[in-house]
């Protein structure tokens, strides 16, 4: 899937930023996970890809660490060394993975990053507790940051607010599955909370730790918000039309579980004959498992396209990306951090690699 063109130089810049993020982030992340009680740390270590289900060291695929990369990039955009923002980078990644551990249970997903999810291996109770522990550790990281000082209280407040919005968005998403009709406005509001809030917080925390003034911090927060919206739109497109080799999930997983993602809701709200047929099939098969027939998934995907859901989501992703770039420029970021943030945003909004 290709939505936003990128040059080979931009791709190389983004991948280099993600690689450097891993080098800076992972020692601190491992340290904080290692402070957890052994049974909890074992589940978390498996989730992060550091160990196998028996606790033996491994090298399973890890997440791209986009959120900590944004923390580091925004700190540098304000003129500070990336390493000074290590604490908020670790904290944001811990919150993100708390949400993933819970999300997999709530959605019944048995595969993430091309292997079994933590709850599928250790049980839902163990995975829930591991997620809770990561959330607690995120706050501890900020309170024990020797470089935080006066920023700690503000950072904790921002992180708590973003986490609360994330949970609110998750609750709305769950509630949507029980409703026959969800408006596009409601779905967009849910996305802003569930996905964009934490990305916006990552950018704001990086800028705060980087010593930026309020107006530049807020511009980077807006950058993160619009990037988060574009990111989720692309993710929802991949949830229907993505290659399992890229997504790590079965083809059409969102349709199989009858998830009301943005392209689906746009199609259902379209008032078209295809949208009405889609509504009939979605309503008649609510509660299905993710083991739907490939032919049924393909038919649903075609209805979403025919009703305009795919085209709307692709256009909306491009609009949000444009707004993100406008907000980034308004923050007057220092180079080369500005180019790095733009490249990261473009890579995140393609995700066809």
């Amino acid at each position: 899937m290709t939505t936003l063109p990128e040059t080979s130089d931009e791709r190389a810049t983004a991948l280099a930023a993600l690689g450097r993020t891993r080098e800076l982030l992972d020692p601190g992340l491992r340290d904080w996970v290692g402070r957890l009680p052994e049974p909890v740390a074992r589940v978390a270590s498996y989730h992060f890809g550091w160990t196998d289900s028996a606790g033996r060291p491994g090298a399973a695929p890890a997440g791209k660490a986009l959120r900590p990369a944004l923390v580091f990039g925004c700190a540098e955009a304000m003129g500070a060394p990336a390493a000074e923002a290590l604490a908020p980078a670790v904290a944001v990644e811990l919150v993100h993975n708390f949400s993933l551990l819970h999300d997999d249970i709530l959605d019944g997903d048995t595969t993430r990053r091309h292997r079994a999810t933590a709850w599928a291996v250790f049980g839902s109770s163990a995975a829930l507790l591991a997620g809770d522990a990561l959330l607690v550790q995120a706050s501890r990281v900020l309170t024990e940051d020797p470089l935080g000082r006066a920023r700690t209280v503000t950072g904790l407040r921002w992180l708590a607010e973003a986490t609360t919005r994330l949970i609110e968005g998750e609750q709305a998403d769950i509630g949507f599955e029980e409703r026959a009709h969800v408006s596009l406005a409601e779905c967009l509001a849910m996305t802003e909370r569930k996905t964009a809030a934490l990305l916006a917080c990552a950018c704001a925390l990086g800028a705060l730790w980087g010593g930026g003034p309020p107006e530049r911090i807020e511009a980077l927060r807006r950058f993160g918000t619009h990037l988060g919206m574009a990111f989720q739109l692309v993710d929802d497109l991949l949830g229907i039309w993505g290659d399992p080799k890229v997504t790590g999930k079965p083809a059409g997983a969102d349709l199989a579980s009858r998830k009301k993602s943005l392209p689906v809701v746009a199609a259902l709200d379209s008032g078209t004959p295809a949208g009405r047929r889609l509504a009939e099939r979605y309503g008649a098969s609510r509660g299905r498992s993710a083991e739907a027939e490939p032919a049924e998934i393909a038919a649903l995907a075609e209805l979403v396209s025919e009703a305009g859901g795919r085209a709307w989501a692709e256009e909306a992703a491009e609009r949000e990306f444009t707004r993100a770039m406008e907000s980034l420029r308004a923050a007057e970021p220092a180079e080369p951090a500005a180019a790095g943030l733009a490249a990261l945003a473009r890579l995140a909004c393609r995700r066809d690699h």
Side-chain angles (χ1 to χ4, degrees):
M1 179 181 299
T2 302
T3 54
L4 299 167
E6 67 179 346
T7 67
S8 58
D9 286 347
E10 284 176 324
R11 181 180 175 83
T13 297
L15 293 177
L18 292 173
R20 186 191 59 156
T21 293
R22 276 290 171 205
E23 292 176 1
L24 286 170
L25 178 75
D26 279 2
L29 194 60
R30 287 175 180 264
D31 174 55
W32 280 98
V33 171
R35 299 188 195 191
L36 296 171
E38 193 282 328
V40 180
R42 179 179 171 186
V43 177
S45 295
Y46 171 85
H47 168 75
F48 280 110
W50 303 333
T51 60
D52 64 14
S53 59
R56 297 182 293 260
K64 290 184 176 64
L66 172 63
R67 290 155 190 80
L70 291 172
V71 174
F72 289 139
C74 288
E76 291 180 314
M78 297 296 99
E84 289 194 6
L86 177 61
V90 171
V92 166
E93 186 69 356
L94 288 170
V95 171
H96 174 55
N97 281 278
F98 139 77
S99 73
L100 295 183
L101 282 161
H102 283 218
D103 223 17
D104 286 340
I105 297 168
L106 293 170
D107 293 344
D109 289 337
T110 57
T111 304
R112 178 174 291 279
R113 298 167 188 158
H114 308 284
R115 70 172 185 162
T117 50
W119 78 268
V121 173
F122 299 98
S124 58
S125 296
L128 280 171
L129 291 172
D132 293 344
L134 295 185
L135 182 58
V136 172
Q137 293 295 72
S139 295
R140 291 184 60 197
V141 172
L142 294 185
T143 59
E144 296 185 19
D145 177 25
L147 299 176
R149 298 183 293 274
R151 295 172 294 204
T152 299
V153 173
T154 299
L156 282 169
R157 186 177 74 251
W158 289 357
L159 190 64
E161 289 171 351
T163 305
T164 301
R165 289 175 68 80
L166 186 159
I167 293 169
E168 182 184 10
E170 182 65 64
Q171 179 64 54
D173 196 19
I174 293 170
F176 289 172
E177 305 309 312
E178 302 302 318
R179 291 170 50 185
H181 178 261
V182 175
S183 73
L184 188 54
E186 288 178 301
C187 198
L188 286 166
M190 177 274 293
T191 298
E192 193 279 327
R193 291 168 175 81
K194 183 177 175 180
T195 302
L198 189 58
L199 282 166
C201 181
C203 294
L205 287 174
L208 178 66
W209 256 250
E215 63 277 8
R216 295 175 74 192
I217 292 174
E218 287 310 304
L220 286 173
R221 186 189 294 275
R222 291 194 301 273
F223 163 68
T225 297
H226 291 300
L227 175 59
M229 296 299 291
F231 177 94
Q232 188 60 58
L233 282 155
V234 174
D235 195 63
D236 283 357
L237 287 162
L238 287 170
I240 299 175
W241 295 281
D243 183 346
K245 294 179 182 178
V246 174
T247 65
K249 295 182 178 182
D254 284 357
L255 293 178
S257 61
R258 300 307 187 261
K259 185 177 180 63
K260 289 187 175 67
S261 62
L262 284 162
V264 169
V265 172
L268 292 171
D269 243 14
S270 66
T272 62
R276 289 190 288 272
R277 294 199 302 275
L278 178 67
E280 291 171 2
R281 297 185 72 156
Y282 245 58
S285 51
R286 281 187 358 217
R288 290 278 190 90
S289 74
E291 300 298 325
E293 291 293 331
E296 181 183 10
I297 293 173
L300 290 171
E302 180 58 33
L303 286 173
V304 175
S305 289
E306 187 180 340
R310 182 173 188 170
W312 174 86
E314 289 174 346
E315 291 168 6
E318 291 180 7
R319 285 196 302 272
E320 292 291 347
F321 181 82
T322 297
R323 291 168 183 162
M325 294 299 100
E326 291 170 350
S327 299
L328 178 60
R329 288 191 292 272
E332 300 178 351
E335 291 289 1
L341 287 168
L344 280 171
R346 196 172 295 277
L347 186 72
C349 293
R350 282 178 54 96
R351 304 179 70 198
D352 59 347
H353 44 82

